[in-house]
Amino acid sequence: MKPLVFSIPDSNQSAWLDQVAQSDVLRVLELPCEYLDTPSQWQSLSDRGLTVAAARDLIAPEAMRNLSGLSETHRNQLLSLAGSRLARLREHGVGTVVFDFGIGRHAGDDTSSRFGLSVRFLRDLMVAAAPQDVNVCLQARFPFVFPQSPQWDLIGNLIHEVMHPNCRLTLDLFASELEDGFEEREFLRQCGYHLSVLRFCFEPMAGQKLLADSASAWRNALANYLFKGLVVLRPVGEIPVEKIESVRRSLETQAELIITQGESADDDFV
């Protein structure tokens, strides 16, 4: 199994980096592209002995949500920015970008004009990504944020239409929201073909569990599926600075159980 990746939250990033620098387990990271835009930030990570496996928000989500309202000039500027970031990330050995494409969140996202524009934009983006051999992974949430949400189908259709080997799926999975009897192996069978990043998301301050009692089931399902992508641990929501250390320690303990014990790793996270 590859090392688990820890997703540094958007807030209090310096405090989080100070914490993971003290960890033996959570040292492989996902960070925002904006954070990685300057040489000084890379040097800081290197000085702490931290590794970046994935970057997120290649283009700001708010820009992507308004894609159909942007001029062609503005869209080309976004593509140029993305190309520069992809080249920089590859220079530092980062092969995965997690990307909120801003589709499937609202009524009207499934119109043919909006969908067609998204396909064209993503194909142009893949032209920039291909020489860098970086996987561009579109986010989808499961379970759905609301019943009959179109996001899952639209993201799947978008990846299918683009038909590029570097255009992949990131699954934001909230295990605490899954129904009883959820079948991990069957779920992977349905979505695993495009899946490159599996992010286990939870909101610690809302009392959510990362994997509840299903850690061993997920580990076994991923092993049986021969999953070769990234497994990311991602706390979400506002986490006060004074709680960061306790959240990190709890995640670290449970990550060690997943890595070292497999079948026995079915205690609660957090």
Side-chain angles (χ1 to χ4, degrees):
M1 182 177 182
K2 289 183 178 180
L4 298 175
V5 178
F6 182 69
S7 178
I8 298 291
D10 290 329
S11 299
N12 302 312
Q13 290 175 354
S14 294
W16 277 107
L17 289 170
D18 288 341
Q19 284 296 318
V20 297
Q22 303 174 41
S23 173
D24 293 329
V25 179
L26 305 176
R27 303 184 64 81
V28 181
L29 307 179
E30 173 200 293
L31 278 160
C33 282
E34 186 176 23
Y35 182 89
L36 301 170
D37 275 343
T38 61
S40 62
Q41 302 290 31
W42 285 105
Q43 186 61 52
S44 175
L45 294 169
S46 177
D47 291 344
R48 290 165 161 166
L50 300 173
T51 301
V52 181
R56 66 177 179 269
D57 297 339
L58 181 64
I59 299 172
E62 54 269 24
M64 296 313 307
R65 286 193 289 271
N66 190 41
L67 184 64
S68 59
L70 301 179
S71 67
E72 183 177 356
T73 297
H74 196 175
R75 289 196 294 269
N76 287 336
Q77 290 173 344
L78 292 179
L79 288 168
S80 177
L81 171 64
S84 298
R85 282 178 166 171
L86 288 167
R88 185 180 305 112
L89 290 170
R90 196 56 188 162
E91 179 184 346
H92 289 277
V94 181
T96 299
V97 174
V98 177
F99 191 24
D100 182 353
F101 204 74
I103 193 170
R105 295 178 178 273
H106 308 288
D109 279 356
D110 57 347
T111 61
S112 59
S113 59
R114 171 70 163 93
F115 186 78
L117 178 62
S118 299
V119 170
R120 292 193 297 275
F121 185 88
L122 189 54
R123 283 176 175 164
D124 289 340
L125 178 59
M126 298 316 300
V127 171
Q132 311 303 331
D133 195 25
V134 176
N135 285 333
V136 176
C137 303
L138 309 188
Q139 292 174 226
R141 187 195 197 276
F142 193 87
F144 304 149
V145 68
F146 60 88
Q148 287 79 52
S149 166
Q151 184 190 49
W152 186 262
D153 289 336
L154 288 174
I155 291 296
N157 290 341
L158 187 56
I159 293 172
H160 178 76
E161 285 294 323
V162 173
M163 286 293 287
H164 193 287
N166 292 84
C167 184
R168 309 287 292 170
L169 172 67
T170 286
L171 177 63
D172 282 342
L173 189 132
F174 288 77
S176 64
E177 300 177 16
L178 298 175
E179 296 180 354
D180 292 341
F182 179 82
E183 291 288 341
E184 292 84 2
R185 294 185 188 183
E186 176 62 19
F187 184 74
L188 286 176
R189 188 187 68 79
Q190 295 177 12
C191 72
Y193 177 74
H194 292 302
L195 185 62
S196 188
V197 181
L198 179 58
R199 295 203 295 192
F200 290 111
C201 304
F202 75 116
E203 191 170 352
M205 297 300 100
Q208 290 184 352
K209 305 298 183 181
L210 179 55
L211 286 179
D213 59 355
S214 62
S216 61
W218 275 107
R219 178 188 173 95
N220 293 336
L222 290 166
N224 289 334
Y225 193 79
L226 301 178
F227 181 68
K228 303 298 185 184
L230 301 179
V231 177
V232 179
L233 311 182
R234 187 189 185 207
V236 298
E238 289 297 322
I239 302 173
V241 171
E242 63 271 17
K243 296 291 186 180
I244 289 176
E245 182 176 3
S246 63
V247 172
R248 188 270 294 175
R249 287 185 180 277
S250 184
L251 276 169
E252 185 177 55
T253 298
Q254 295 302 323
E256 288 175 337
L257 288 175
I258 293 176
I259 294 168
T260 61
Q261 296 185 19
E263 291 286 350
S264 300
D266 51 7
D267 295 328
D268 281 358
F269 281 70
V270 183

